[in-house]
Amino acid sequence: MSTHAMVKAEGVHKSFGPVEVLKGIDLEVAPREVFCLIGPSGSGKSTFLRCINHLEKINAGRLYVDGELVGYRQKGDKLYELKDSEVALKRRDIGMVFQRFNLFPHMTAVENVMEAPVQVKGESRATARARALQLLDRVGLADKAGNYPSQLSGGQQQRVAIARALAMEPKLMLFDEPTSALDPELVGDVLDVMRGLAEDGMTMVVVTHEMGFAREVGDALVFMDNGVVVESGHPREVLTNPRHERTKSFLSKVL
């Protein structure tokens, strides 16, 4: 196993025009760790997540995934941006699950899961299909393989989206509030799938409002506010005994 962090952020800054959204983020995610990011809307959590796979470009600092710079290569003390094709190649190793499921509406569940391995990795359709069916079984949807997204509930669509991300065999999974768009009774099925991934040793960075999930499944937790890391530690410790007044105030509203 690699000795370095799976994700390492050093002084990461990100602005949108005059608005500074990330103001120097420093953190590390160890291999096999479930790393939870919590905080109010607009605190920079989702932006940071999108920087990890270079969907957003950082303005300053360094961001590494599995020991390699994200989006850049370093020569001497200068950074050079990678070509889009090189970024895409690296992004294959990072699975991302969004709030919205972004499934292809004209494809069945199994076709959605097969698509990237066939198009990006050049797998045969037979191989990709067999693996897609295994993954749908893993997320509890073996019986829905032939259904189109419009025939699935929101929770089922999100589980197909997770299976689709896993089809690329990523070494890191990013979850951006994966349950926030779901009806409350559908949340549990999605969290159960994520729990299973954690048990299998998948490294996960999860932006979430599900404090119960963070407490039970998380290995590390960061509370972000206004573009900075306010507090970090073991989830149970932070959620039970927050040290910072801002953390206490936030948790008093959500717990």
Side-chain angles (χ1 to χ4, degrees):
M1 187 194 288
S2 58
T3 52
H4 51 241
M6 181 60 79
V7 179
K8 185 173 188 180
E10 298 175 345
V12 169
H13 287 256
K14 172 66 185 173
S15 297
F16 294 104
V19 181
E20 197 177 17
V21 180
L22 301 176
K23 302 172 182 174
I25 301 293
D26 295 293
L27 57 80
E28 283 192 22
V29 181
R32 301 174 73 86
E33 193 167 55
V34 178
F35 191 98
C36 296
L37 288 168
I38 66 168
S41 293
S43 58
K45 311 179 300 293
S46 294
T47 298
F48 178 70
L49 205 66
R50 291 170 68 85
C51 290
I52 294 175
N53 66 356
H54 207 57
L55 286 174
E56 299 289 355
K57 299 173 185 180
I58 65 176
N59 299 113
R62 298 274 193 281
L63 196 46
Y64 300 88
V65 169
D66 203 15
E68 294 190 7
L69 269 173
V70 173
Y72 300 90
R73 76 162 58 83
Q74 187 160 347
K75 253 185 149 175
D77 53 2
K78 276 202 164 149
L79 287 186
Y80 296 90
E81 193 162 356
L82 298 178
K83 295 192 194 93
D84 287 348
S85 58
E86 294 172 296
V87 171
L89 203 59
K90 303 240 177 168
R91 204 178 273 146
R92 284 163 48 159
D93 291 331
I94 305 173
M96 179 124 186
V97 178
F98 299 90
Q99 291 181 29
R100 295 282 164 204
F101 327 119
N102 303 331
L103 298 177
F104 297 116
H106 62 289
M107 292 184 182
T108 61
V110 72
E111 287 167 346
N112 265 285
V113 178
M114 289 168 58
E115 180 71 2
V118 171
Q119 298 299 338
V120 179
K121 282 189 167 176
E123 276 185 19
S124 75
R125 292 191 71 77
T127 303
R129 184 179 175 81
R131 178 153 165 73
L133 290 169
Q134 280 178 336
L135 287 168
L136 287 172
D137 186 39
R138 183 177 179 181
V139 300
L141 293 173
D143 58 333
K144 302 290 184 188
N147 288 39
Y148 289 92
S150 61
Q151 299 168 313
L152 301 172
S153 72
Q156 289 168 338
Q157 289 185 59
Q158 190 61 296
R159 284 185 280 154
V160 173
I162 294 172
R164 180 179 61 179
L166 291 173
M168 291 296 283
E169 302 182 302
K171 54 189 170 191
L172 169 66
M173 284 282 282
L174 309 177
F175 291 88
D176 188 8
E177 297 186 18
T179 58
S180 66
L182 302 180
D183 292 333
E185 70 268 24
L186 303 176
V187 167
D189 292 338
V190 173
L191 293 180
D192 284 345
V193 169
M194 293 170 66
R195 237 178 236 112
L197 289 177
E199 285 162 10
D200 292 345
M202 174 63 77
T203 310
M204 296 157 61
V205 183
V206 185
V207 173
T208 187
H209 293 301
E210 302 290 339
M211 300 301 157
F213 175 83
R215 185 188 284 112
E216 288 165 47
V217 183
D219 300 301
L221 181 140
V222 154
F223 170 66
M224 279 178 70
D225 187 33
N226 203 21
V228 297
V229 171
V230 175
E231 190 161 339
S232 60
H234 190 278
R236 285 198 186 94
E237 185 59 32
V238 176
L239 294 174
T240 312
N241 300 308
R243 297 186 301 274
H244 199 284
E245 283 307 319
R246 183 68 191 89
T247 319
K248 288 177 188 171
S249 160
F250 173 76
L251 290 174
S252 72
K253 295 183 180 78
V254 298
L255 285 179

